[in-house]
Coordinates of all heavy atoms in Angstrom, one line a residue:
M1 N -136.6 -39.5 28.6 CA -137.3 -38.5 27.8 C -136.5 -37.2 27.9 O -135.9 -36.9 29.0 CB -138.7 -38.3 28.4 CG -139.4 -37.2 27.7 SD -141.0 -36.7 28.4 CE -141.9 -38.1 28.5
L2 N -136.4 -36.5 26.8 CA -135.7 -35.2 26.8 C -136.7 -34.1 27.1 O -137.9 -34.1 26.6 CB -135.0 -34.9 25.5 CG -134.0 -35.9 25.1 CD1 -133.5 -35.6 23.7 CD2 -132.8 -35.9 26.1
T3 N -136.3 -33.0 27.8 CA -137.1 -31.9 28.1 C -136.4 -30.6 27.6 O -135.2 -30.5 27.9 CB -137.4 -31.8 29.6 OG1 -138.0 -33.0 30.0 CG2 -138.3 -30.7 29.9
L4 N -137.1 -29.8 26.9 CA -136.6 -28.5 26.5 C -136.5 -27.6 27.6 O -137.5 -27.3 28.3 CB -137.5 -27.9 25.4 CG -137.0 -26.6 24.7 CD1 -135.7 -26.9 23.9 CD2 -138.0 -26.1 23.8
P5 N -135.3 -27.1 27.9 CA -135.1 -26.1 29.0 C -135.9 -24.9 28.8 O -136.1 -24.4 27.7 CB -133.6 -25.8 29.0 CG -133.0 -26.8 28.2 CD -134.0 -27.3 27.2
D6 N -136.4 -24.3 29.9 CA -137.2 -23.1 29.9 C -136.5 -22.0 29.1 O -137.1 -21.2 28.4 CB -137.6 -22.6 31.3 CG -138.6 -23.5 31.9 OD1 -139.4 -24.2 31.2 OD2 -138.7 -23.5 33.1
S7 N -135.1 -21.9 29.3 CA -134.3 -20.9 28.6 C -134.3 -20.9 27.1 O -134.0 -20.0 26.5 CB -132.9 -20.9 29.2 OG -132.3 -22.2 28.8
L8 N -134.7 -22.1 26.5 CA -134.7 -22.2 25.1 C -136.1 -22.2 24.5 O -136.3 -22.3 23.3 CB -134.0 -23.6 24.7 CG -132.6 -23.6 25.0 CD1 -132.0 -25.0 24.6 CD2 -131.8 -22.6 24.2
R9 N -137.1 -22.2 25.3 CA -138.5 -22.2 24.8 C -138.8 -21.1 23.8 O -139.5 -21.3 22.8 CB -139.5 -22.3 25.9 CG -139.4 -23.6 26.7 CD -140.5 -23.8 27.7 NE -140.3 -25.0 28.4 CZ -140.7 -26.2 28.0 NH1 -141.3 -26.4 26.9 NH2 -140.4 -27.3 28.8
D10 N -138.3 -19.9 24.1 CA -138.6 -18.8 23.2 C -137.9 -19.0 21.8 O -138.5 -18.6 20.8 CB -138.1 -17.4 23.7 CG -139.1 -16.9 24.8 OD1 -140.2 -17.3 24.8 OD2 -138.6 -16.1 25.6
A11 N -136.8 -19.7 21.8 CA -136.1 -19.9 20.5 C -136.9 -20.8 19.6 O -136.7 -20.7 18.3 CB -134.7 -20.5 20.8
F12 N -137.7 -21.7 20.1 CA -138.5 -22.6 19.3 C -140.0 -22.3 19.3 O -140.8 -23.1 18.9 CB -138.2 -24.0 19.8 CG -136.8 -24.5 19.6 CD1 -135.9 -24.4 20.7 CD2 -136.4 -25.0 18.4 CE1 -134.6 -24.8 20.5 CE2 -135.1 -25.4 18.2 CZ -134.2 -25.3 19.3
K13 N -140.3 -21.1 19.7 CA -141.7 -20.8 19.8 C -142.4 -20.6 18.4 O -143.5 -21.0 18.2 CB -141.9 -19.5 20.6 CG -143.3 -19.1 20.9 CD -143.2 -17.9 21.8 CE -144.6 -17.6 22.4 NZ -144.6 -16.5 23.4
D14 N -141.7 -20.0 17.5 CA -142.2 -19.8 16.1 C -141.7 -20.8 15.1 O -140.5 -21.2 15.3 CB -141.8 -18.4 15.6 CG -142.4 -17.3 16.5 OD1 -143.6 -17.4 16.9 OD2 -141.7 -16.3 16.8
P15 N -142.4 -21.2 14.1 CA -142.0 -22.1 13.1 C -140.7 -21.6 12.4 O -140.6 -20.4 12.2 CB -143.2 -22.2 12.2 CG -144.3 -21.7 12.9 CD -143.8 -20.7 13.9
L16 N -139.8 -22.5 12.1 CA -138.6 -22.2 11.3 C -138.9 -22.2 9.8 O -138.0 -21.8 9.0 CB -137.5 -23.1 11.7 CG -137.1 -23.1 13.2 CD1 -136.0 -24.2 13.4 CD2 -136.6 -21.8 13.6
G17 N -140.0 -22.6 9.4 CA -140.3 -22.7 8.0 C -141.8 -22.7 7.8 O -142.6 -22.6 8.8
P18 N -142.3 -23.0 6.6 CA -143.7 -23.1 6.3 C -144.4 -24.3 7.1 O -143.7 -25.3 7.2 CB -143.8 -23.2 4.8 CG -142.5 -23.7 4.4 CD -141.5 -23.2 5.4
V19 N -145.6 -24.1 7.5 CA -146.3 -25.1 8.2 C -147.5 -25.5 7.3 O -148.2 -24.6 6.8 CB -146.9 -24.7 9.5 CG1 -147.7 -25.7 10.2 CG2 -145.7 -24.3 10.4
T20 N -147.6 -26.8 7.0 CA -148.7 -27.2 6.1 C -149.4 -28.4 6.7 O -148.8 -29.2 7.4 CB -148.2 -27.6 4.7 OG1 -149.3 -27.9 3.9 CG2 -147.2 -28.7 4.7
T21 N -150.7 -28.5 6.4 CA -151.5 -29.7 6.9 C -152.0 -30.5 5.6 O -152.7 -31.5 5.8 CB -152.7 -29.3 7.7 OG1 -153.5 -28.4 6.9 CG2 -152.3 -28.6 9.0
D22 N -151.6 -30.0 4.4 CA -151.9 -30.7 3.2 C -150.9 -31.8 2.9 O -149.8 -31.5 2.5 CB -152.0 -29.6 2.1 CG -152.4 -30.2 0.7 OD1 -152.4 -31.5 0.6 OD2 -152.6 -29.4 -0.2
A23 N -151.3 -33.0 3.1 CA -150.3 -34.1 3.0 C -149.8 -34.2 1.6 O -148.6 -34.5 1.3 CB -151.0 -35.4 3.4
T24 N -150.7 -34.0 0.6 CA -150.2 -34.1 -0.8 C -149.1 -33.0 -1.1 O -148.1 -33.3 -1.8 CB -151.4 -33.9 -1.8 OG1 -152.4 -34.9 -1.5 CG2 -151.0 -34.1 -3.2
A25 N -149.4 -31.8 -0.7 CA -148.4 -30.8 -0.9 C -147.1 -31.1 -0.1 O -146.0 -30.8 -0.6 CB -148.9 -29.4 -0.4
L26 N -147.2 -31.7 1.1 CA -146.0 -32.0 1.9 C -145.2 -33.1 1.2 O -144.0 -33.0 1.1 CB -146.4 -32.5 3.2 CG -145.3 -32.8 4.2 CD1 -144.4 -31.6 4.4 CD2 -145.9 -33.3 5.5
I27 N -145.8 -34.1 0.6 CA -145.1 -35.2 -0.1 C -144.5 -34.6 -1.3 O -143.3 -35.0 -1.7 CB -146.1 -36.3 -0.4 CG1 -146.5 -37.0 0.9 CG2 -145.5 -37.3 -1.3 CD1 -147.6 -38.0 0.8
A28 N -145.2 -33.8 -2.1 CA -144.6 -33.2 -3.3 C -143.4 -32.3 -2.9 O -142.4 -32.4 -3.7 CB -145.7 -32.3 -4.0
A29 N -143.4 -31.6 -1.9 CA -142.3 -30.7 -1.5 C -141.1 -31.6 -1.1 O -140.0 -31.3 -1.4 CB -142.7 -29.8 -0.4
A30 N -141.4 -32.7 -0.4 CA -140.3 -33.6 0.1 C -139.7 -34.2 -1.2 O -138.4 -34.3 -1.2 CB -140.9 -34.6 1.0
A31 N -140.5 -34.6 -2.1 CA -139.9 -35.2 -3.3 C -139.1 -34.2 -4.1 O -138.0 -34.6 -4.6 CB -141.1 -35.8 -4.2
S32 N -139.5 -33.0 -4.2 CA -138.8 -32.0 -4.9 C -137.5 -31.7 -4.2 O -136.4 -31.6 -4.9 CB -139.6 -30.7 -4.9 OG -138.9 -29.6 -5.5
T33 N -137.5 -31.6 -2.9 CA -136.2 -31.4 -2.2 C -135.3 -32.6 -2.4 O -134.1 -32.4 -2.6 CB -136.5 -31.2 -0.7 OG1 -137.4 -30.1 -0.5 CG2 -135.3 -31.0 0.1
R34 N -135.8 -33.8 -2.3 CA -135.0 -35.0 -2.5 C -134.3 -34.9 -3.9 O -133.2 -35.2 -4.1 CB -135.8 -36.2 -2.4 CG -135.0 -37.5 -2.6 CD -135.9 -38.7 -2.7 NE -136.7 -38.6 -4.0 CZ -138.0 -38.9 -4.1 NH1 -138.7 -39.3 -3.0 NH2 -138.6 -38.7 -5.2
D35 N -135.1 -34.6 -5.0 CA -134.6 -34.5 -6.3 C -133.5 -33.5 -6.5 O -132.5 -33.7 -7.1 CB -135.8 -34.3 -7.3 CG -136.7 -35.4 -7.4 OD1 -136.4 -36.6 -6.9 OD2 -137.9 -35.2 -7.9
E36 N -133.7 -32.3 -5.8 CA -132.8 -31.2 -5.9 C -131.5 -31.6 -5.3 O -130.4 -31.1 -5.7 CB -133.3 -30.0 -5.2 CG -134.4 -29.3 -6.0 CD -135.0 -28.1 -5.2 OE1 -134.3 -27.6 -4.3 OE2 -136.1 -27.7 -5.5
H37 N -131.5 -32.4 -4.2 CA -130.3 -32.7 -3.5 C -129.8 -34.2 -3.7 O -128.9 -34.6 -3.0 CB -130.5 -32.5 -2.0 CG -130.9 -31.1 -1.7 ND1 -129.9 -30.1 -1.6 CD2 -132.1 -30.4 -1.5 CE1 -130.5 -28.9 -1.4 NE2 -131.8 -29.1 -1.3
G38 N -130.3 -34.8 -4.7 CA -129.8 -36.1 -5.1 C -130.1 -37.3 -4.1 O -129.2 -38.1 -4.0
G39 N -131.2 -37.2 -3.4 CA -131.5 -38.3 -2.5 C -131.7 -39.6 -3.2 O -132.1 -39.7 -4.4
D40 N -131.5 -40.7 -2.5 CA -131.7 -42.1 -3.1 C -133.0 -42.7 -2.8 O -133.3 -43.8 -3.3 CB -130.6 -43.0 -2.5 CG -129.2 -42.6 -3.0 OD1 -129.1 -42.0 -4.1 OD2 -128.2 -42.8 -2.3
A41 N -133.9 -42.1 -2.0 CA -135.2 -42.7 -1.6 C -136.1 -42.7 -2.8 O -136.0 -41.8 -3.6 CB -135.8 -41.9 -0.4
P42 N -137.0 -43.6 -2.9 CA -137.9 -43.7 -4.0 C -138.9 -42.5 -4.1 O -139.2 -41.9 -3.1 CB -138.7 -45.0 -3.8 CG -138.3 -45.5 -2.5 CD -137.2 -44.7 -2.0

């Protein structure tokens, strides 16, 4: 198991991007990102 060192905890304290609990919005955003970057997943 990996453990985040105490010295790095502040660096990861705040989210690096938007946080969502809406699964539909999350799936739509993932599909949009995939389409923009040419992903091969369905």
